[in-house]
Amino acid sequence: MEKRVAVVGAGVSGLACIKICVDEGLEPVCFESSDDIGGLWNFKDSPEPQRSSIYRSLVANTSKEMMCFSDFPMPDDYPNYTHNSLLMKYYRLYAEHFHLLRFINFLMKVTSVTQSPDFSQSGQWEVVTINKNGDEERHIFDAVLVCSGHFTQPVLPLSDFKGHETFCGTFLHSWDYKNPDAYRGKKVVIVGIGNSGGDLAVEISRSAEKTFLSTREGAWVIGRKSRNGLPLDMVGITRFNNLLIKHFPGTLVNWVVEGALNNKCDHKLYGLKPKHRALDKRLLINDDLPDRILQGGLVMKPNIREFKTSGVVFEDGTTEEDIDAIVFCTGYSATIPFLPSALSEGAYGELILYKKLFPPTLQHPTLAIVGILQAKGPIMPIVEMQARWAVKVFSGLSRLPSKEKMLGVIEAERKQAAVQVDYVSYMDFMAKEVGAKPRLLRLLLTDPVLWTKVVFGPCTPYQYRLTGSGQWAGARRAILTQWGRVYKPFRTRMVAEPAATKPILFSPWFITFGATMVFYFAFVTKQHCPNMSTFLSDSGHQ
């Protein structure tokens, strides 16, 4: 009898979970509170309560080859960094190709996920839903995959700032922001320098009279382009680079990275330099932020100390008057309200998860929470791999360590203060659990061309479909042709190649001229210095 698995949410994680459940012979039942797939990436003109919300101009900061599903490359004519509307088209293609829509119940909101009365024996869960008519239903499932995301409950820290009650301007969170039209000709302060803060500061600064970016810590800023204008992650996230970073001293690696970043933009001069080292936290990916500072459209400021009636006082004592709006880019709460409160045992009420996926205290490992993490790399392949691992655990084909060992790992990670997971290491760990980690030695011996691409090339998701469980016959070809898909969208104007010429050192003219000079030198030497060879021979023994 097939195990029934509840999938909560039909965003990127939910679609991957549905597909993988089907691949592994499980029966997925997906509940989606909205009327469409896509989750975070499904743009709406107005934010909807308890759902993710993005701004109209949002473009992915990971490239298409790095962020695609591992067995479904994006179309080769897609730009390397895709607008949210194109990503939605890709997700629809994925859902249609693998026939996933038939498993999704739209306009069904999950209000509660609790252990069934016989959980100690069965490991089953009771899921309570409400449909569009307000009717409540109760369902029993053998396992649950939570894919509702953590960008639904914005954190607006007004209570941290004195005087906010009397401020005459407007407050909003980046969750509410859609476009810069409302800020034309106004003075705006952006609070927070994460990726959203950087994007909004740049976009608003093009319309507003003056824009200030207030940050407590600062950030190391890098653009989407690497050498020769190629996608940053395609060049930077490789197994070879990961090996170098692991084995060289962290101080040296940070020094090299910071030097390269400061070479493009002096972070101290621009008011961006943070206290932390470059690789200790996630880099801020933004192509235009330094330029807006250089052009005077954006002014860097320290953290806000207090609000006045119409102005803002910063921690350095400076004041800006006639401020019209404050936009908080201060993140989201990672709690999930429909889950048992016992799972949120962190110091700030956050979820405690083994390897960012499994609650360690459950008697039966039949619940997994997908996508609640930050990574030094693309998230989409990670959530797909999380789903592959979770389904293996649900099926009994992979076993978790004991509760004590899982708690020990969580505590060790907490002491390391690692905010983000390392992309290659985390993917390899999960792939090993699934049985899909690339076998590098075997590749070297049997397919050295592919081995070179896997080790020295970008660590694209296709690598985790080369072997073992979930193997995809098209994985090798996808890896060998990945750079072709990177180049394709650039080829909109053909540039004539110069006529091929041989290097001058090997040209017949140069060879003839060189030979002539050698013979001439030999002839002259023989005529004028007949004893030269004897002289050289003798001098060599002095």
Side-chain angles (χ1 to χ4, degrees):
M1 181 177 176
E2 290 182 345
K3 287 188 175 183
R4 296 178 73 239
V5 180
V7 179
V8 184
V12 179
S13 304
L15 293 176
C17 287
I18 295 169
K19 193 255 184 189
I20 290 160
C21 282
V22 174
D23 289 347
E24 296 294 327
L26 306 184
E27 180 188 345
V29 179
C30 180
F31 300 108
E32 168 55 46
S33 62
S34 73
D35 61 356
D36 201 0
I37 64 171
L40 171 70
W41 293 100
N42 194 332
F43 173 79
K44 301 290 185 182
D45 287 318
S46 300
E48 300 175 355
Q50 298 182 9
R51 293 196 186 127
S52 302
S53 175
I54 59 173
Y55 35 99
R56 185 181 298 276
S57 62
L58 180 62
V59 172
N61 57 23
T62 50
S63 67
K64 65 177 182 179
E65 289 297 303
M66 295 296 293
M67 71 179 296
C68 66
F69 293 109
S70 59
D71 54 358
F72 195 72
M74 287 194 194
D76 59 2
D77 60 343
Y78 272 33
N80 284 285
Y81 289 98
T82 47
H83 185 262
N84 62 82
S85 58
L86 267 183
L87 280 177
M88 273 303 300
K89 289 183 180 179
Y90 171 68
Y91 300 141
R92 295 193 195 286
L93 289 173
Y94 181 78
E96 291 167 6
H97 181 79
F98 292 109
H99 311 290
L100 305 181
L101 297 179
R102 58 197 171 110
F103 299 103
I104 304 174
N105 298 282
F106 291 105
L107 299 174
M108 292 278 280
K109 180 181 178 181
V110 172
T111 60
S112 173
V113 174
T114 56
Q115 297 177 6
S116 65
D118 65 342
F119 181 83
S120 60
Q121 286 80 38
S122 67
Q124 292 181 327
W125 295 84
E126 182 180 80
V127 177
V128 180
T129 61
I130 295 179
N131 63 22
K132 61 181 179 180
N133 299 319
D135 300 325
E136 185 177 279
E137 297 180 47
R138 295 178 180 272
H139 319 260
I140 296 295
F141 289 97
D142 298 298
V144 178
L145 286 163
V146 179
C147 307
S148 55
H150 62 292
F151 297 109
T152 59
Q153 301 178 68
V155 174
L156 195 67
L158 289 179
S159 60
D160 293 349
F161 303 103
K162 179 183 175 182
H164 71 273
E165 304 92 342
T166 58
F167 178 68
C168 294
T170 59
F171 296 111
L172 74 152
H173 192 276
S174 58
W175 180 86
D176 300 290
Y177 177 86
K178 293 298 175 179
N179 60 65
D181 295 347
Y183 307 101
R184 191 171 303 278
K186 296 186 177 181
K187 296 176 75 174
V188 183
V189 177
I190 313 295
V191 180
I193 198 171
N195 285 324
S196 294
D199 284 352
L200 268 59
V202 166
E203 184 166 272
I204 290 174
S205 74
R206 301 186 193 281
S207 299
E209 176 188 336
K210 199 74 174 179
T211 306
F212 304 91
L213 178 53
S214 170
T215 171
R216 180 182 296 137
E217 297 184 352
W220 293 101
V221 182
I222 192 168
R224 290 178 173 87
K225 299 188 298 294
S226 182
R227 54 179 169 78
N228 300 323
L230 295 172
L232 173 69
D233 50 6
M234 289 286 285
V235 174
I237 303 178
T238 71
R239 292 183 178 278
F240 181 70
N241 286 348
N242 192 61
L243 187 68
L244 291 179
I245 290 171
K246 279 186 174 181
H247 289 85
F248 277 86
T251 303
L252 175 61
V253 176
N254 277 304
W255 178 77
V256 171
V257 172
E258 290 168 11
L261 296 177
N262 280 323
N263 189 46
K264 293 184 177 180
C265 159
D266 187 327
H267 282 61
K268 183 177 181 180
L269 177 64
Y270 277 56
L272 291 165
K273 186 176 180 179
K275 294 178 181 179
H276 63 265
R277 304 304 302 272
L279 298 183
D280 290 348
K281 294 184 179 180
R282 191 172 187 177
L283 299 173
L284 170 59
I285 300 176
N286 194 293
D287 300 306
D288 303 317
L289 186 65
D291 288 347
R292 295 305 297 156
I293 296 172
L294 184 65
Q295 296 161 15
L298 182 62
V299 177
M300 296 301 300
K301 284 290 186 178
N303 195 36
I304 293 174
R305 186 169 72 195
E306 63 178 304
F307 291 102
K308 290 186 172 183
T309 303
S310 62
V312 173
V313 180
F314 296 95
E315 288 185 345
D316 62 357
T318 59
T319 301
E320 293 295 339
E321 296 288 353
D322 302 320
I323 299 297
D324 297 292
I326 311 292
V327 183
F328 284 94
C329 301
T330 44
Y332 296 82
S333 170
T335 58
I336 300 177
F338 57 78
L339 289 177
S341 58
L343 300 182
S344 301
E345 299 175 337
Y348 301 98
E350 72 273 17
L351 292 161
I352 300 297
L353 302 174
Y354 170 66
K355 291 299 179 181
K356 314 295 183 184
L357 185 58
F358 295 102
T361 56
L362 295 178
Q363 187 175 354
H364 296 283
T366 52
L367 182 140
I369 304 170
V370 178
I372 307 295
L373 80 166
Q374 296 181 38
K376 297 177 181 177
I379 292 293
M380 269 180 54
I382 286 178
V383 298
E384 184 188 34
M385 185 62 76
Q386 284 185 324
R388 292 173 69 182
W389 184 20
V391 168
K392 288 291 186 186
V393 171
F394 296 165
S395 302
L397 300 176
S398 178
R399 298 183 65 84
L400 297 181
S402 66
K403 172 185 172 181
E404 292 72 24
K405 287 185 178 180
M406 288 192 286
L407 290 172
V409 169
I410 293 170
E411 179 61 17
E413 291 174 347
R414 186 192 66 79
K415 288 180 178 179
Q416 292 173 0
V419 178
Q420 304 167 299
V421 297
D422 175 77
Y423 177 76
V424 176
S425 300
Y426 186 54
M427 287 287 284
D428 276 356
F429 172 84
M430 292 190 291
K432 185 177 180 180
E433 297 295 315
V434 170
K437 183 179 177 182
R439 300 173 181 175
L440 298 181
L441 181 58
R442 177 177 292 185
L443 275 181
L444 175 62
L445 297 175
T446 61
D447 197 340
V449 172
L450 181 60
W451 177 85
T452 302
K453 302 292 185 184
V454 169
V455 173
F456 296 101
C459 189
T460 45
Y462 321 121
Q463 294 190 11
Y464 299 99
R465 293 286 183 177
L466 286 170
T467 187
S469 176
Q471 185 175 359
W472 173 45
R476 182 181 188 275
R477 176 172 173 76
I479 294 170
L480 296 180
T481 58
Q482 58 197 5
W483 282 108
R485 289 187 295 278
V486 170
Y487 300 146
K488 177 67 181 291
F490 291 110
R491 291 173 174 157
T492 55
R493 173 181 172 264
M494 300 308 295
V495 179
E497 295 287 344
T501 58
K502 293 182 179 180
I504 189 172
L505 290 176
F506 299 99
S507 67
W509 179 89
F510 188 83
I511 293 173
T512 302
F513 176 78
T516 301
M517 293 303 296
V518 169
F519 284 121
Y520 176 78
F521 179 77
F523 176 78
V524 170
T525 300
K526 186 174 181 180
Q527 292 294 320
H528 298 280
C529 305
N531 298 320
M532 178 64 74
S533 58
T534 304
F535 170 76
L536 291 175
S537 177
D538 292 343
S539 65
H541 296 282
Q542 290 180 359

